[in-house]
Amino acid sequence: MARELPPIEEYGLIGDTRTAALVAGDGAIDWLCVPSFDGVPVFARLVGGATAGTFEVAPAGPATLSQRRYRPDSASLETTWDCGGGTLTLTDGMVAEVAERLLPTTLLVRRLEAAGRPIEVVINFDPRFGERRVQPRVERRGALLFCSWRRIALSVQASGGAVVEPGQPYRAVVMPDEPLTVSVCVADREPLVHVPPDAAWSALEDDEIRWRKWCLGITHDVPHRPAVVRSLLTLRLLTYSPTGAPVAAPTTSLPEELGGVRNWDYRYAWPRDASIGIGAFLGVGKDNEARRFMAWLRNATRLDRPRLPVLLDLHGRRPRPERELKGWPGYRGSVPVRSGNGAANQRQLDGYGWVLDAAWLLTRAEWRLYGETWRAMAAFADKIATQWRSTDAGIWEVRGDEAHHVHSKLMAWLALDRALRIAERRRTSAKRVRRWREQRDAVAAEIRERGFDPELGSYTRSYGSRDLDAALLVLPLLDIEPADSSRIRGTIDAIRRVLGAGGPLVYRYTPGSDGLPGTEGAFLACSFWLVQALAATGRRREASQLFDELIGCGSGLGLYAEEMDPTSHRLIGNYPQALSHAALVQAALALRDAALSDAGEVTPAESPQPEQAAERRAADADAARSGRRRRV
Amino acid sequence: MDWAGWAVFGLVATTLLTCVMIAAQMAGLTRLDLPLLLGTLVTADPDRARAAGFLVHLAMGQVFALGYAAVFALLDRATWWLGAILGLLHVTIALAALVPLLAGVNPRMASYRAGPSSTAVLEPPGLLGLNYGIQTPAVAIVAHLVYGTALGLLLTP
């Protein structure tokens, strides 16, 4: 009988910052692309059906899942089953740090440990290649199993003499104190590097030490720090290390409505996400990650400047054209399954605001922009100064819905305002500054005149519309008007009233108003923006309460998808989603800043935290050694 | 061998090649920036790197021009089409071997194996420099054809 896919929130993420896998609570890896996030799927049962590949490791007999967790401050996932008189623990991980060592670029490690009694386990290794789910050419050389297609090869090796065969469940007995380890090495157009299981496990343990050290550098003064740390770890796992590109999510076509059509490919990088990530990482003292995002923005957008592309692939190229994968049944019947993302062809104006704001945050944190970085930012400001009067598709990328989105106009204002702030610290021509100022003021005037509905007492989704848009929750963070103004308060209250989905949940716009059949869930990033908005407008107690509730909305592992079904409270949409996690971190930082502000203390934005100060001191020392200022 | 021609026209040809590459960048055809890739061996500042890299690139162009001059001397002829053929050979070596190898020697360039501790910010060039734009090989071929043709026209055997 075909196994029913578990709920999305039952999956855990493991990754190596080049690609990532999703591991179900029953021990099956149902999603893995190699060698990169947007590479070829080899385990794709999640959306590709029973013949799309999986890698199951689980107890052979009756067992109940007793615990799932990440090993503390690491990317290694532990799944423990109660097997009647004994327990079986599966530890999964991917080795992230392979540079300067003879290790394969992708190294997956799975270890089974029994306690209490010997436990029989079953291993089902069944890789398939790509869209056509091609079975591999198989070869066995001693203990090593080779699976190869044209450009990709996998080698599998298990400890204790276990003999894994592709597509055939293999049974073994795990004795207490004698763990069974399986290592999977991947090669893409290069020779395979074989790593014996014990050496692979050792490499994973070394990685865990590095991740713990990395987590120590995260500020300690944020509420719900474990959730913040898990979010930051997830953001880092979803950052493609070879280029620094932030991947929106490791998956494609996890549905925004079960059985629905809102299934998109998120294995790409949005400049907007990089910019939000800069704020999140800077706020917790991880300046290096913030700088890498800015470097990615500078490098990846070069071909399109001064136009800011909506999204790019991991190497800064235009994504493949969007298409539907034939014969893929989708997650629980949610079709189509898409590859590529058609939003790349849209015109979106809000991205300029996010990017310029990120540049300002770095400048405010005393990172001096390189000449090229500033030229890029100034070019974006010039572009938006001439383009802001146009219609656009808006942040939500609704197909065929070009309009004068108020959120996009606000972000155009933000872009020009932040460019002006940076220009105060850079040599910029008076003519250019005057143009930016004139256009900024013109945007503000137009937004107030055409984007606000006095009857609703709220800014609206687009000019002349009476619809609301939860993206407007960023209003109090912009400084376009005082955070405690009646217009801003009115907008926040109207959004809660009209778009509230129960508890802390918020729809991004009126459900079903995007022209597609069916509906969708509550958008989790908007819920975190609501927390930020409340914290920024003096309603810290409400914000804190909502944040507490939202922390309970994640998966048991602290992961968040794009959306949540407000009725079933199931996570839906691509998973885990970087934007949700970045917004969680930003919300926690807003609560911290609000608490400090209430106590009359200087906020960290004005005075760096100890961890941040330490990282900046190290950067200062480097800069002093090289005779240069800290630059980005 | 035409030593005087090599000393002068090697610089001329490399400057022409660099101009073609910069023009292609300005036109949005490629993100391949050889002066930047070479200059980041000595500094992280993109502007300073380009200045330093331009000098390194000139020196490398001069070394390659020595090879062209030697081939012209060996064949006892120097024509524009012979220079162009050598330019094709040159660009093949540059794209297939030299540029990808930069990831191994430039600490500021990441490789496909980069992990979380990597502080390198330059993306790896990939096969034939395709990570820098799909038109990168075409731009590089044109630039090197210009370089080879110029040397074929200007050098004497």
Side-chain angles (χ1 to χ4, degrees):
Chain A
M1 196 177 96
R3 158 182 172 264
E4 186 184 349
L5 289 167
I8 289 170
E9 64 269 20
E10 286 189 15
Y11 283 94
L13 176 82
I14 56 172
D16 58 16
T17 74
R18 294 174 291 277
T19 187
L22 291 184
V23 189
D26 61 6
I29 293 180
D30 286 335
W31 183 253
L32 172 65
C33 294
V34 293
S36 55
F37 293 100
D38 61 352
V40 184
V42 289
F43 304 126
R45 186 165 60 174
L46 185 66
V47 289
T51 58
T54 187
F55 183 10
E56 294 168 324
V57 174
T64 52
L65 182 65
S66 58
Q67 189 188 33
R68 283 198 100 198
R69 63 160 197 158
Y70 281 104
R71 287 155 77 102
D73 290 350
S74 83
S76 301
L77 180 64
E78 264 187 13
T79 307
T80 303
W81 294 277
D82 190 338
C83 302
T87 61
L88 181 73
T89 299
L90 168 66
T91 305
D92 286 302
M94 297 176 75
V95 178
E97 210 57 76
V98 297
E100 297 176 22
R101 290 189 292 174
L102 190 53
L103 291 173
T105 309
T106 308
L107 174 55
L108 169 67
V109 189
R110 315 196 76 185
R111 166 172 277 208
L112 286 157
E113 290 170 278
R117 68 171 179 85
I119 294 174
E120 190 181 25
V121 299
V122 61
I123 300 171
N124 182 18
F125 180 75
D126 187 16
R128 303 297 173 96
F129 185 81
E131 182 181 348
R132 297 167 75 175
R133 298 165 283 200
V134 179
Q135 289 189 314
R137 194 167 63 84
V138 179
E139 193 181 337
R140 176 164 289 288
R141 292 179 212 157
L144 277 172
L145 172 75
F146 288 83
C147 297
S148 61
W149 300 268
R150 285 179 64 188
R151 52 176 272 206
I152 300 282
L154 311 177
S155 75
V156 189
Q157 193 172 358
S159 61
V163 183
V164 179
E165 293 292 342
Q168 296 173 18
Y170 170 82
R171 286 174 182 258
V173 175
V174 181
M175 306 296 290
D177 304 323
E178 286 182 35
L180 190 160
T181 307
V182 184
S183 61
V184 179
C185 307
V186 182
D188 174 27
R189 295 173 293 190
E190 61 187 351
L192 263 169
V193 179
H194 309 301
V195 184
D198 289 341
W201 176 252
S202 173
L204 189 68
E205 286 185 317
D206 291 346
D207 250 26
E208 284 188 17
I209 292 168
R210 274 187 283 269
W211 281 123
R212 284 194 192 105
K213 193 175 166 197
W214 186 84
C215 292
L216 277 177
I218 295 170
T219 187
H220 286 261
D221 63 349
V222 283
H224 290 287
R225 185 174 184 274
V228 171
V229 169
R230 181 53 48 198
S231 286
L232 291 163
L233 269 167
T234 305
L235 286 173
R236 188 61 192 88
L237 284 175
L238 295 179
T239 302
Y240 182 61
S241 283
T243 61
V247 180
T251 55
T252 176
S253 301
L254 286 179
E256 293 168 17
E257 179 193 21
L258 280 184
V261 300
R262 291 173 180 79
N263 317 318
W264 315 108
D265 190 352
Y266 276 16
R267 297 171 296 160
Y268 296 103
W270 273 253
R272 179 193 302 129
D273 288 0
S275 308
I276 296 171
I278 286 172
F281 277 120
L282 265 185
V284 299
K286 285 286 170 193
D287 289 25
N288 282 337
E289 281 69 17
R291 288 169 61 208
R292 285 217 73 195
F293 277 161
M294 181 50 76
W296 176 78
L297 281 169
R298 184 180 62 226
N299 295 332
T301 60
R302 193 146 175 214
L303 273 184
D304 297 272
R305 265 183 236 156
R307 190 183 73 84
L308 182 68
V310 173
L311 66 140
L312 294 159
D313 78 1
L314 303 181
H315 289 281
R317 299 172 297 209
R318 283 185 72 79
R320 294 182 291 263
E322 184 175 289
R323 64 196 182 86
E324 297 174 1
L325 301 188
K326 286 180 187 161
W328 282 45
Y331 177 80
R332 295 192 178 183
S334 306
V335 286
V337 175
R338 292 185 172 92
S339 175
N341 196 310
N345 301 320
Q346 291 184 338
R347 175 170 53 190
Q348 295 178 18
L349 299 180
D350 69 294
Y352 296 89
W354 296 109
V355 169
L356 264 297
D357 190 47
W360 163 244
L361 291 177
L362 281 161
T363 304
R364 192 179 63 176
E366 294 172 23
W367 286 97
R368 183 173 167 77
L369 305 183
Y370 284 126
E372 185 183 347
T373 311
W374 171 232
R375 284 196 299 278
M377 297 301 134
F380 291 145
D382 287 340
K383 179 78 176 170
I384 200 68
T386 60
Q387 296 289 309
W388 68 266
R389 285 189 169 84
S390 310
T391 57
D392 80 331
I395 184 175
W396 305 127
E397 303 180 344
V398 174
R399 310 279 169 105
D401 179 38
E402 283 232 340
H404 289 287
H405 290 103
V406 175
H407 174 261
S408 299
K409 307 294 184 196
L410 282 169
M411 299 312 273
W413 180 91
L414 182 69
L416 293 164
D417 182 73
R418 297 314 189 246
L420 284 163
R421 292 187 191 196
I422 301 170
E424 287 173 11
R425 304 184 185 198
R426 308 287 305 215
R427 189 180 300 165
T428 314
S429 78
K431 187 179 167 191
R432 202 176 206 181
V433 168
R434 192 167 58 247
R435 187 169 67 244
W436 289 347
R437 187 171 291 121
E438 285 169 1
Q439 294 305 313
R440 180 193 64 175
D441 296 345
V443 188
E446 187 175 291
I447 292 170
R448 291 193 189 102
E449 186 189 334
R450 300 179 63 191
F452 187 81
D453 186 318
E455 281 183 37
L456 285 171
S458 168
Y459 285 99
T460 58
R461 186 174 177 194
S462 59
Y463 290 169
S465 151
R466 288 181 63 84
D467 289 341
L468 298 179
D469 182 352
L472 296 171
L473 288 167
V474 300
L475 254 169
L477 314 172
L478 309 186
D479 286 343
I480 189 170
E481 57 185 279
D484 59 354
S485 76
S486 60
R487 287 173 168 239
I488 288 183
R489 283 178 165 271
T491 303
I492 295 171
D493 290 340
I495 289 171
R496 288 190 79 179
R497 193 172 59 247
V498 176
L499 297 180
L505 301 177
V506 180
Y507 293 111
R508 50 181 161 174
Y509 44 71
T510 308
S513 64
D514 55 10
L516 294 171
T519 183
E520 66 169 20
F523 201 86
L524 287 166
C526 293
S527 295
F528 290 114
W529 290 345
L530 175 60
V531 172
Q532 269 186 284
L534 292 172
T537 50
R539 297 154 78 175
R540 183 162 66 89
R541 189 177 301 239
E542 277 176 87
S544 191
Q545 187 184 338
L546 285 183
F547 191 62
D548 291 348
E549 291 178 47
L550 281 168
I551 293 301
C553 290
S555 75
L557 294 165
L559 302 179
Y560 290 80
E562 182 174 38
E563 298 184 4
M564 173 171 263
D565 184 324
T567 310
S568 66
H569 282 180
R570 294 279 190 211
L571 293 178
I572 47 179
N574 283 310
Y575 172 87
Q577 201 213 21
L579 178 61
S580 299
H581 283 280
L584 182 152
V585 176
Q586 298 270 39
L589 292 169
L591 283 170
R592 176 192 69 182
D593 292 352
L596 290 171
S597 182
D598 286 356
E601 295 178 28
V602 177
T603 62
E606 295 150 355
S607 166
Q609 290 299 288
E611 298 79 6
Q612 206 158 12
E615 188 153 329
R616 288 177 189 167
R617 272 198 302 276
D620 282 340
D622 283 347
R625 275 195 295 277
S626 63
R628 300 261 175 270
R629 295 181 61 181
R630 301 179 320 140
R631 307 184 83 174
V632 60
Chain B
M1 205 173 88
D2 181 10
W3 288 103
W6 164 75
V8 175
F9 299 131
L11 291 177
V12 171
T14 309
T15 305
L16 282 173
L17 183 153
T18 310
C19 287
V20 172
M21 296 298 294
I22 290 173
Q25 275 182 264
M26 295 297 112
L29 297 175
T30 179
R31 283 185 283 123
L32 176 63
D33 187 338
L34 287 172
L36 179 73
L37 297 189
L38 295 169
T40 46
L41 281 163
V42 292
T43 175
D45 184 331
D47 291 335
R48 291 172 191 275
R50 282 196 188 90
F54 180 67
L55 296 177
V56 176
H57 194 219
L58 276 184
M60 289 179 67
Q62 203 65 10
V63 171
F64 276 104
L66 194 60
Y68 283 68
V71 172
F72 294 150
L74 277 173
L75 299 177
D76 198 23
R77 65 193 306 180
T79 62
W80 68 268
W81 55 266
L82 186 55
I85 289 171
L86 291 177
L88 280 177
L89 183 67
H90 181 176
V91 73
T92 305
I93 294 168
L95 283 180
L98 297 181
V99 170
L101 282 180
L102 270 175
V105 294
N106 186 340
R108 294 188 173 92
M109 179 182 282
S111 81
Y112 284 112
R113 296 163 55 76
S117 65
S118 169
T119 55
V121 295
L122 275 176
E123 59 186 321
L127 181 70
L128 303 178
L130 283 167
N131 286 353
Y132 298 150
I134 194 91
Q135 288 144 314
T136 299
V139 168
I141 287 169
V142 170
H144 285 80
L145 282 176
V146 168
Y147 176 87
T149 305
L151 287 178
L153 286 171
L154 297 169
L155 290 179
T156 53

